[in-house]
């Protein structure tokens, strides 16, 4: 038997890791940032000069100068780098310097047609921009704990090392992880993912390593036609079903936990607000401030709780999807729903959805949003779609779905999740509604006759 060759496409993604503050390290990164910013602008100017030279050469001799003959380089970035090397960013490690020059030259080359037409002006780099760091410059990536990783970054040239009186140009840094980035770092350490050429950038006084990594989504394991459906709900935050296994069901999280937490928060808020009332108008000032602070603290607590839960749940869901071989995740698009009390549903859902989407992408799972209407009213066994007007009949209680057409009884969340896990479910529902409408008309006509 001949094994069919499947083309494995690699994917490249970027992830942001905070570099832990250390005065000396941050000063060093700031210095490199500054050097590289000047280097890029200088390189752009030189590229522009070359371009002008090239044009006048062409006007005079009717042909463009051959950069290979003149400089020994196919494209001028190599030559520009050689020129700049002498007295620009000399303390910066050669790979960062070369990559920065190449980046600036490539950008210029890209923009050139529009620059020549006067549509855009030449790029000027900003002081606070990022600088490149090649994969080879990042070594000894080590896990200390799930939130703490260390690595070495080759940042300085021999001159830079001498200037700063260091032993070598390999700088130890500590990385802080969040948003599930530790999963990626673990895979980089195990070799499952490969480091790619990355960047270091600064936002709001913090430096970040923008880790680029490549991986091959395992298409043989993840099948796009195997769909995981996720129903979000009040009793159970997320219920999972898969399209290819009718016995599979998984309940994620506990709604009661959220409700208990919410009640605690409400009680605490009430106490603070009451103490505010009690203080009366006479004591405006510090007292109010303290209480506002206390309320802010509560909001922070809610946000933290929510975030932690959503991280754990989304991680669990993605792990389940991979385990079940699902290449697609389907969930409801709940934007603009106003029916029922959806406080809890929306409260957790938007962030949860964000996390699921983000983590699914990391492992190569496609996320599809579907129209939520009728997904809980459709019987997954016979396909019959119930009307909202007699919900008390088919939805016996929060947990139980009871089909009025085929008598099938099921857990309501599982029934919905199974519908959501179906390929082309929106089309299936639309067609079924047509069928039911016609049958109804037919019945009415029959009665009338
Ligand atoms: Zn049914």
């Amino acid at each position: 038997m001949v094994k069919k060759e499947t083309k494995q496409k690699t994917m490249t993604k970027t992830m942001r890791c905070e570099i832990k503050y250390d005065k000396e390290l941050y000063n060093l990164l700031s210095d490199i940032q500054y050097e590289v910013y000047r280097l890029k602008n200088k390189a752009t100017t030189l590229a522009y000069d070359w371009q002008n030279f090239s044009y006048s050469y062409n006007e005079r001799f009717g042909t463009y100068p051959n950069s290979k003959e003149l400089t020994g380089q196919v494209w001028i970035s190599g030559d520009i780098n050689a020129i700049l090397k002498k007295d620009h960013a000399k303390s910066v490690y050669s790979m960062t310097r070369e990559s920065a020059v190449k980046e600036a030259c490539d950008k210029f080359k890209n923009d050139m047609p529009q620059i020549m037409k006067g549509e855009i002006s030449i790029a000027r780099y900003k002081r606070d921009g990022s600088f490149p760091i090649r994969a080879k410059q990042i070594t000894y990536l080590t896990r200390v704990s799930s939130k703490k990783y260390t690595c070495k970054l080759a940042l300085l040239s021999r001159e830079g090392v001498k200037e700063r009186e260091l032993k070598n140009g390999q700088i130890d840094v500590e990385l802080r992880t969040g948003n599930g980035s530790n999963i990626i770092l673990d895979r980089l350490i195990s070799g499952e993912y490969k480091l790619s050429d990355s960047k270091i950038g600064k936002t709001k006084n913090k430096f970040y390593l923008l880790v680029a990594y490549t991986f091959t989504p395992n298409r043989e394991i993840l099948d796009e036609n195997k769909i995981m459906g996720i129903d979000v709900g009040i009793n159970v935050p997320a219920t999972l079903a898969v399209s290819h296994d009718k016995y599979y069901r998984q309940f994620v999280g506990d709604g009661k936990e959220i409700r208990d937490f919410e009640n605690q928060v409400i009680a605490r808020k009430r106490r603070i607000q009451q103490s505010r009332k009690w203080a009366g108008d006479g004591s405006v000032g510090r007292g109010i401030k303290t209480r506002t602070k206390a309320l802010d603290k509560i909001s922070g607590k809610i946000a933290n709780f929510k975030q932690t839960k959503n991280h754990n749940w989304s991680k669990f869901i993605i792990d389940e999807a991979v385990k079940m071989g699902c290449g697609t995740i389907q969930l409801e698009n709940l934007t603009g729903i106003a029916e029922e009390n959806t406080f809890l549903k929306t409260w957790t859902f938007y962030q949860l959805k964000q996390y699921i989407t983000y983590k699914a992408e990391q492992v190569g799972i496609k996320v599809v949003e579907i129209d939520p209407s009728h997904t809980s009213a459709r019987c997954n066994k016979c396909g019959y779609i119930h009307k909202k007007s007699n919900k008390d009949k088919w939805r016996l209680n929060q947990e139980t779905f009871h089909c009025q057409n085929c008598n099938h009884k099921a857990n309501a969340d599982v029934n919905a999740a199974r519908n959501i896990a179906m390929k082309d479910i929106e089309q299936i529902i639309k067609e079924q509604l047509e069928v039911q409408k016609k049958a109804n008309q037919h019945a009415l006509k029959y009665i009338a006759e």
Side-chain angles (χ1 to χ4, degrees), residues 378-384 386 401-409:
R378 178 183 184 273
C379 171
N380 190 256
K381 199 176 177 196
C382 71
Y384 184 81
H386 298 78
F401 173 87
H402 185 191
C403 181
Q404 300 301 295
N405 187 50
C406 74
N407 215 23
H408 173 61
K409 264 190 190 173

Side-chain angles (χ1 to χ4, degrees), residues 144-187:
V144 181
S145 73
S146 67
K147 287 193 173 162
K148 185 172 154 186
Y149 289 73
T150 55
C151 69
K152 281 182 189 292
L153 304 177
L155 294 172
L156 290 168
S157 67
R158 220 173 280 161
E159 281 202 57
V161 173
K162 224 189 266 170
E163 245 170 53
R164 289 175 187 262
E165 295 172 342
L166 295 167
K167 269 190 223 143
N168 55 51
Q170 301 277 329
I171 312 296
D172 288 303
V173 301
E174 190 182 315
L175 300 175
R176 298 186 146 182
T177 63
N179 269 7
S181 52
N182 58 319
I183 302 166
I184 305 298
L185 293 177
D186 288 343
R187 287 180 181 156

Side-chain angles (χ1 to χ4, degrees), residues 419-436:
N419 287 330
I420 296 166
M422 288 172 76
K423 195 174 163 62
D424 303 321
I425 181 63
E426 285 169 341
Q427 188 60 29
I428 291 167
I429 285 175
K430 204 178 138 199
E431 282 166 14
Q432 176 66 23
L433 287 173
E434 293 282 325
V435 170
Q436 286 178 212

